[in-house]
Amino acid sequence: MEQAGSLSVRGSTGSAAPDIRTASVRVPAQARAADVERERGVASDESRSAAGARGEHTHSEPPIPHPRVESARPVEAARPVETARPVVQRASVRGQILDALRTALVAGELAPGQVYSAPVLGERFGVSATPVREAMQQLALEGAVEVVPNRGFRVVRRGTRELAELAEIRALLEVPVVLRLARTVPAARWAELRPLAEAAARAASAGCRATYAECDRAFHHAMLALAGNDQLVQIADDLHRRAQWPLVGGPVPRGRADLMADAAEHLALLDALTAQDLPAVQSVVREHFADD
């Protein structure tokens, strides 16, 4: 037995030699495990950070969150808030100025043929010239004003012929759509438009042309939207807005009686649509655009 053991130690070519090599592999592994156990309590911050970056952790301690993720989150959350605020405010100011200018156009406060500068209008509204200039450029795209280099914007002159052409185009677009909707839309959907028609009637009774113009467009917009054609609604709304601008040398803008008669046609049209009275719908809608 001793001879066999000495042969094993000397590393003979017998079967014991693989055991010696296997042992030589296992022993260093056990030594590294022991070293880890002894050094666990004094591991450097650098090694812990590296382990955390790889997502490694032991069962005796929680994983260390990556410091970059924690520091990046508040920066990413705060950044869009800081950059969004001035954009929202600037767009809001321009939108308010645009609405005010449109109201001034409908009310006749901006006279056709007159040139208005952005700085002067800015002083009137209590804002800088920039949002006024942006709003006037939008009105130029809509055809309400034209750019006068180095001076400002001139309100476009319009005559009765242009108004008649706009009314004809609106009738060609809207009348067939309304007649088709009269055959397909249930009465309950038409009832949803009644508050808009009543709001227009109140504005007409008050004699406010600017307010009535907004209510009038809102009613027609909602009615045409039932067709589900966004392009039709957009084009019709643009034509409707242009038709409300004042004329040059034309008759005095419609007064309270004219506005009330126009608003009454909205209510009469809704009554005919709710009752699905097609002849009455056709009569009212054609008369409505003829009056415009």
Side-chain angles (χ1 to χ4, degrees), residues 105-259:
L105 279 171
V106 174
E109 298 176 4
L110 297 180
Q114 294 295 320
V115 177
Y116 299 89
S117 68
V120 172
L121 290 175
E123 293 180 0
R124 172 181 174 180
F125 293 116
V127 298
S128 66
T130 299
V132 176
R133 188 176 294 108
E134 293 174 348
M136 293 297 278
Q137 289 172 349
Q138 176 60 37
L139 290 177
L141 293 176
E142 296 176 2
V145 300
E146 56 187 7
V147 179
V148 181
N150 302 322
R151 292 186 59 191
F153 301 86
R154 178 185 291 114
V155 179
V156 174
R157 295 177 179 271
R158 300 169 57 251
T160 55
R161 178 175 179 177
E162 181 179 351
L163 182 62
E165 291 173 349
L166 289 172
E168 181 180 4
I169 298 174
R170 288 187 61 208
L172 290 174
L173 287 176
E174 296 192 35
V175 171
V177 174
V178 174
L179 293 178
R180 175 165 58 86
L181 293 175
R183 301 181 178 90
T184 58
V185 175
R189 296 299 302 275
W190 294 119
E192 297 175 0
L193 273 63
R194 188 164 294 275
L196 296 175
E198 293 174 348
R202 290 192 297 270
S205 179
C208 181
R209 294 194 303 273
T211 303
Y212 180 76
E214 294 292 335
C215 294
D216 186 23
R217 288 199 309 275
F219 174 78
H220 282 264
H221 181 100
M223 180 171 59
L224 294 177
L226 295 176
N229 189 327
D230 294 337
Q231 297 301 317
L232 168 68
V233 174
Q234 182 177 353
I235 294 173
D237 187 68
D238 178 65
L239 293 171
H240 196 171
R241 188 187 301 279
R242 292 170 59 187
Q244 294 174 333
W245 297 335
L247 302 177
V248 174
V252 177
R254 293 188 301 178
R256 180 171 174 270
D258 293 331
L259 297 180

